[in-house]
Amino acid sequence: MKKKNSINSSQDKLIARRGFLTRLWQGLGVFAAFEFTGLSLAFLFSGRRKHVSGKAHYIECGAVNDFKANSAIPFRSGLFYLCRLDDGGFLALSLHCTHLGCSVAWRSERNQFLCPCHASAFDLQGNVINPPATRALDLFPVIIEGKTVKVDISRKIRRKRFKKSQVTYV
Amino acid sequence: MNNGTGSTSSFIWHLHPRTLPESTLRFNHTFGLGGMALLLFVVQIFSGVLLRFVYQASPAEAYHSILLLQNEMLFGQFIRNIHYWSGSFLVMIVFLHLFRVYFSGAFYSPRQLNWLLGLLLLFLTVLSNFTGYLLPWDQRAYWATTISTGMLEYIPLLGPWLREWLIGGEEIGGQAMLNFYTLHTAIFPFLIIFVMSFHFWRVRKAGGVVVPSDLSEKENAFVPAVPNLVVRELAVALVLLAVLFMTAALFNAPLQAMANPALSPNPTKAAWYFMGLQELLLHFHPLLAASALPLAVSLGLVLLPYLNYPKQPQGIWFVSDKGRQMAWVAVLCAVIVTPLYIVANAWLPDVQNFIAVDPIVAGGVVPAIVLLLSLSGFYYGLKKRFKATLNETVQALFVLITVIFLILTITGIWFRGADMQLVWPWQIP
């Protein structure tokens, strides 16, 4: 009777050990799976921001006097409109609609930017005057050096709505 | 045919049951939609592999490689057409398959898991088509992808990150193209093959396609699968291939001017299966239209087989006669209310012209509440009027939402012209 017990317990031990080893292998397998997932993700994300250099990239737009008040001139290579407001101030608006990213068209007869995708409309300052867009057109920084207007297309600024402080004056 | 000794017939045996109920052989029992989807997937693989020998996935080369394919290569245009049309057909067939399975009650236990696998396959099919859409790099491809990925921005928290990860930058460019190309030609096909095998296996495990539960003994007689099932499958396959090749011979896959990131065409439209969403985006705040509503609908679809149904009418179309009547009521409601809403929204002036409200309240919260109230009004009204079971009321709701979405899609494709104004189909440029 006693002997039988001891056989049983040694078998239990054996099973316990086997179970432990199985668990160990499973654990190592899960660990390896995590490792490879991590490796793949690290690989995929490492190249994400390589195109952002952080250095300013200026586009020369022309002389200050070339731009009439109340006008929006497209600079397609830089993907922006250079706008001159009533009061002579300059704004560089991204030509991509803030709704889903289509390029907006300036309709001078209506004095507004109109998006061909969902008919969002923006005024010359970039404010939304017709939804579905929910925020004003993005900005690029404008500087005026001497008599020349330049726009830094490396930095796109998101904003909720137009503020006076966003305008660059001569 | 000998009884499964040759390798061809043993392969057929392996994919099919040896015998099956004669009643399930009728074409209008399943419409052969699952088989059609499989065939179209195989066509996609063959035509896609051929295209890979010519196509170059970079913004500078892609468009020219398509031109080369179409203009210089023997059957180049034809093979592209086959790939294009079988891709479109596949999306349509997979949707129809979902409707067939739902309306014939083929999702109750033990097929619940397979319903989920089917949804996953639907999702992967749409994503496959969507990632392929960008590859020709014409204006249509570029801007459709721009607005579709733009919708991702409005998923709370994860959205902007997901979008940037998917397209690899701020705007669609070379990295986006490479990502889409890899997803389209490697990852999604692989996942589809994997999930599809699982899907088929679960059909076999459930005892084949759903058998009507109200049949008499005699109607339920079993017949051998070879030749009864196999000849029928061959007939469906040949007809489908004939229709596909005719379409590909007669209608060219569209190719517009090369992509120009500075100039969206007017109007710019997403891929046809996203036009319902795009139409929805015209009316509601993007947080509601592109995020909350799709999420709610997906969640509803996932939960559909797990609701506490009082009966499980397997293989019976539209649950019952009452279910059928209620489905018609739902169709009627959708067909009346949706166009009225679209037209009213276009002609009535915007509320925001009179009172200053936050756009998220005017286009998001208020419509969400109105929508929720009218849907529950519809649900409980119908339930009370027809003294219906959960099976029938949920089905009516399903029909209502499906038809609304269908009308939105049709409006977006055929009734929106320049500046997304409402026009007649023949006025669209």
Side-chain angles (χ1 to χ4, degrees), chain A residues 44-45 48-49 51 76 79 95-96 98-103 107 114 116-119 130-132 134 156 158, chain B residues 143 146-147 150-151 154 161 165 170-171 261-268 278 281-282 285 350 352 419-420:
Chain A
L44 287 175
F45 281 92
R48 258 178 72 209
R49 291 199 166 269
H51 56 280
R76 302 230 175 259
L79 301 177
L95 57 72
H96 287 150
T98 54
H99 181 227
L100 291 176
C102 293
S103 71
R107 301 284 184 85
L114 208 63
C117 294
H118 294 89
N130 192 34
T134 56
K156 205 183 214 180
R158 288 169 75 104
Chain B
W143 290 104
T146 298
I147 60 178
M151 292 180 201
Y154 294 98
W161 174 85
W165 187 65
E170 282 254 310
E171 266 127 42
L263 190 67
S264 327
N266 190 2
T268 293
Q278 197 182 348
L281 278 160
L282 277 172
H285 190 279
D350 208 353
Q352 281 172 293
D419 299 337
M420 294 311 267

Side-chain angles (χ1 to χ4, degrees), chain A:
Chain A
M1 200 69 187
K2 209 176 179 187
K3 196 164 187 195
K4 206 176 180 185
N5 262 348
S6 79
I7 288 173
N8 264 355
S9 74
S10 76
Q11 257 176 354
D12 283 349
K13 245 185 230 160
L14 201 67
I15 289 166
R17 186 161 65 212
R18 202 174 283 165
F20 170 72
L21 286 173
T22 312
R23 282 281 159 77
L24 191 68
W25 277 114
Q26 285 169 342
L28 283 173
V30 169
F31 181 70
F34 271 111
E35 227 174 10
F36 285 121
T37 313
L39 187 92
S40 312
L41 288 181
F43 167 78
L44 287 175
F45 281 92
S46 61
R48 258 178 72 209
R49 291 199 166 269
K50 65 181 173 221
H51 56 280
V52 183
S53 61
K55 243 170 55 189
H57 181 267
Y58 285 105
I59 288 198
E60 271 190 39
C61 301
V64 171
N65 293 333
D66 292 349
F67 298 96
K68 286 202 280 292
N70 247 330
S71 72
I73 308 293
F75 287 81
R76 302 230 175 259
S77 57
L79 301 177
F80 67 88
Y81 280 97
L82 188 67
C83 304
R84 190 148 200 204
L85 310 179
D86 289 343
D87 59 2
F90 285 97
L91 269 181
L93 301 180
S94 161
L95 57 72
H96 287 150
C97 179
T98 54
H99 181 227
L100 291 176
C102 293
S103 71
V104 295
W106 174 246
R107 301 284 184 85
S108 51
E109 78 280 5
R110 295 164 70 162
N111 242 358
Q112 52 183 244
F113 295 100
L114 208 63
C115 178
C117 294
H118 294 89
S120 295
F122 305 86
D123 63 16
L124 192 62
Q125 283 113 26
N127 277 331
V128 179
I129 45 181
N130 192 34
T134 56
R135 52 185 188 81
L137 291 171
D138 293 337
L139 286 179
F140 292 108
V142 180
I143 56 166
I144 295 171
E145 277 182 358
K147 287 270 172 217
T148 315
V149 188
K150 290 179 175 179
V151 173
D152 175 10
I153 58 164
S154 69
R155 219 149 48 84
K156 205 183 214 180
I157 303 161
R158 288 169 75 104
R159 57 176 181 162
K160 195 89 189 131
R161 59 177 61 83
F162 170 74
K163 285 195 204 92
K164 196 87 178 163
S165 60
Q166 293 158 348
V167 186
T168 308
Y169 291 96
V170 180

